[in-house]
Amino acid sequence: MSVLRIEALEKQTEDAVIFPAFGLEVSQGQAVALHSNTNIRNILLRMLNGDMTGSNGDIHVLNKPITTFTKPDYTCIGVSYLDDGLYPRLTVKDVFTFYRGLYNSSRTIPEVLHVLQLETKHKVRVQHLSYSEQRRVQAGRLLFQNPALFVFEEADQNVDMETKRIFIKLIQELKQAGKTILLLTSNMESAITMADHVYRLDETGCHSIEMEQEDEPEAQEDEASVEEIKPVVQFDKIPTKIDDKIILFDPTEIDFVETSAGQVLIHIKGEGFPGVFTLTELETRLQPFGFFRCHRSYIVNLQKVREVITWTRNSYTLILEDDKKTEIPLSKTKMAELKAMIGMK
């Protein structure tokens, strides 16, 4: 059953296309992530709450166009905003009591406290909670509302590991309960980790991430051609290109490599440099230096990895040892390969 259906939706200003017409359908029990910039995300949120319409097309929820919604209809959509307001002087229990009464919910307060791991905080005022705990309180409002469509804006932005784990588990439980989840984010690692399907929405349209991966046949060069350009001496540095400049980096300087919107980016100390090789070519060049293809879109320098986090049986993340504790997705098949490499069963 389709819960969310976007039909030929587009948004333009007088002199620019914010995003061209695109379609998307999300069924009951699915979690889909839309990766976009902040402007596009804000526009979609305003469309979902009825404050803005598209230049063309419409968004349908439960087979009804949002442009025809009356006030009661919006109860089928629950949105957890990045900057949702909370009542700082109320305790967590008081906030949940208010939400439970507001939505006439059948869910009990102890149940929601348990789901969000806030049992020990129920008597604590919101203003004394950590940022991550406040984000969990925000999610509690949606659990009491119990909509058909759950929308999360930057669900795990700047939260601690415990809260991210709770949110991932929550999304799994919502799916099992037949709910539909839409994640709006500018963080690709979050999108890949938390959703079943990921799409990138920008001024060129809506693209499935699967469609943007490097195809193996494409990465295979003609053998004769390779022989012709094979260097006589070994050259280990990795070239990147910015405008008319070619910048060479030692492999050991590189933290990780990713594909983004069809472009290979080489990340060094928090900065991304456009690469000149495909991801598959870089995998071959970097493998002797301890690099690992951890995901179809990512290559990571294993010497820079500090932690391997298991979120669910099929969801894993590598944490780098940089100041930002950068998170890199690790696919299920690659997890098994990594374990074999480091001698774990």
Side-chain angles (χ1 to χ4, degrees):
M1 173 185 170
S2 173
V3 174
L4 172 66
R5 189 174 77 255
I6 299 175
E7 291 187 347
L9 184 67
E10 63 178 308
K11 186 63 178 177
Q12 302 177 8
T13 60
E14 293 182 358
D15 55 356
V17 175
I18 307 300
F19 53 83
F22 77 98
L24 182 67
E25 187 166 343
V26 189
S27 299
Q28 188 176 20
Q30 282 188 327
V32 168
L34 266 181
H35 178 273
S36 66
N37 61 37
T38 303
N39 184 38
I40 291 177
R41 189 179 74 230
N42 289 339
I43 288 172
L44 290 174
L45 286 169
R46 292 185 66 186
M47 289 180 176
L48 285 166
N49 64 28
D51 289 341
M52 179 183 287
T53 59
S55 304
N56 287 295
D58 210 339
I59 301 174
H60 299 249
V61 179
L62 298 178
N63 295 318
K64 185 172 183 178
I66 282 184
T67 50
T68 67
F69 270 25
T70 59
K71 189 173 182 179
D73 292 325
Y74 283 101
T75 58
C76 69
I77 305 173
V79 181
S80 179
Y81 294 95
L82 178 60
D83 297 317
D84 252 347
L86 289 171
Y87 299 98
R89 296 185 179 181
L90 295 182
T91 66
V92 174
K93 183 178 180 181
D94 290 338
V95 172
F96 284 178
T97 300
F98 171 75
Y99 288 153
R100 188 170 187 265
L102 178 65
Y103 296 110
N104 193 25
S105 176
S106 61
R107 298 197 76 155
T108 66
I109 292 173
E111 177 188 357
V112 174
L113 286 170
H114 176 71
V115 169
L116 299 172
Q117 296 293 288
L118 290 169
E119 295 105 315
T120 61
K121 304 289 183 176
H122 72 284
K123 293 183 179 180
V124 178
R125 291 187 179 185
V126 170
Q127 62 188 356
H128 297 311
L129 297 175
S130 69
Y131 173 78
S132 295
E133 290 165 344
Q134 289 179 6
R135 293 298 304 275
R136 285 187 244 164
V137 174
Q138 292 171 356
R141 178 175 62 81
L142 266 63
L143 294 181
F144 287 113
Q145 181 182 345
N146 194 31
L149 174 63
F150 285 72
V151 181
F152 292 93
E153 179 189 13
E154 298 291 5
D156 62 346
Q157 186 179 100
N158 297 327
V159 300
D160 56 31
M161 288 296 177
E162 180 185 9
T163 299
K164 181 167 182 174
R165 192 185 302 278
I166 290 167
F167 282 168
I168 290 175
K169 183 179 179 182
L170 173 62
I171 289 171
Q172 297 297 320
E173 292 176 353
L174 290 173
K175 289 194 300 179
Q176 292 172 4
K179 300 299 180 179
T180 300
I181 299 97
L182 176 65
L183 300 157
L184 301 177
T185 181
S186 57
N187 186 306
M188 184 58 72
E189 189 277 337
S190 294
I192 292 172
T193 302
M194 305 183 83
D196 303 318
H197 305 283
V198 181
Y199 298 87
R200 178 181 286 109
L201 179 62
D202 55 27
E203 67 278 1
T204 67
C206 185
H207 312 280
S208 168
I209 294 302
E210 292 295 324
M211 294 171 58
E212 296 181 349
Q213 311 311 323
E214 297 286 348
D215 295 327
E216 294 300 327
E218 212 173 275
Q220 295 175 356
E221 303 285 349
D222 179 78
E223 290 185 8
S225 173
V226 172
E227 288 298 324
E228 291 176 8
I229 63 173
K230 186 176 181 180
V232 177
V233 296
Q234 182 176 345
F235 184 75
D236 294 331
K237 289 199 173 184
I238 303 299
T240 63
K241 189 172 182 179
I242 300 178
D243 297 326
D244 294 327
K245 295 181 180 180
I246 295 177
I247 304 175
L248 304 175
F249 290 104
D250 288 323
T252 54
E253 295 181 84
I254 299 171
D255 298 322
F256 68 97
V257 184
E258 69 170 329
T259 55
S260 178
Q263 172 69 62
V264 172
L265 291 177
I266 297 173
H267 291 267
I268 299 168
K269 295 182 178 179
E271 189 172 357
F273 298 87
V276 298
F277 296 115
T278 67
L279 207 64
T280 300
E281 289 169 333
L282 283 170
E283 179 183 11
T284 301
R285 285 172 172 263
L286 292 171
Q287 193 171 28
F289 300 94
F291 284 76
F292 179 61
R293 185 76 171 263
C294 58
H295 186 276
R296 60 167 55 90
S297 300
Y298 290 84
I299 300 171
V300 67
N301 184 348
L302 287 177
Q303 305 304 318
K304 304 290 183 79
V305 175
R306 171 63 66 183
E307 297 178 64
V308 181
I309 305 294
T310 300
W311 302 115
T312 68
R313 292 178 60 186
N314 300 313
S315 181
Y316 310 93
T317 293
L318 301 175
I319 309 296
L320 302 191
E321 57 183 5
D322 55 12
D323 293 338
K324 296 181 179 179
K325 297 187 181 298
T326 302
E327 300 180 10
I328 308 294
L330 174 65
S331 65
K332 179 181 179 181
T333 55
K334 294 297 183 178
M335 178 59 168
E337 191 176 332
L338 179 60
K339 282 185 175 181
M341 286 177 60
I342 61 180
M344 290 181 62
K345 295 181 180 180

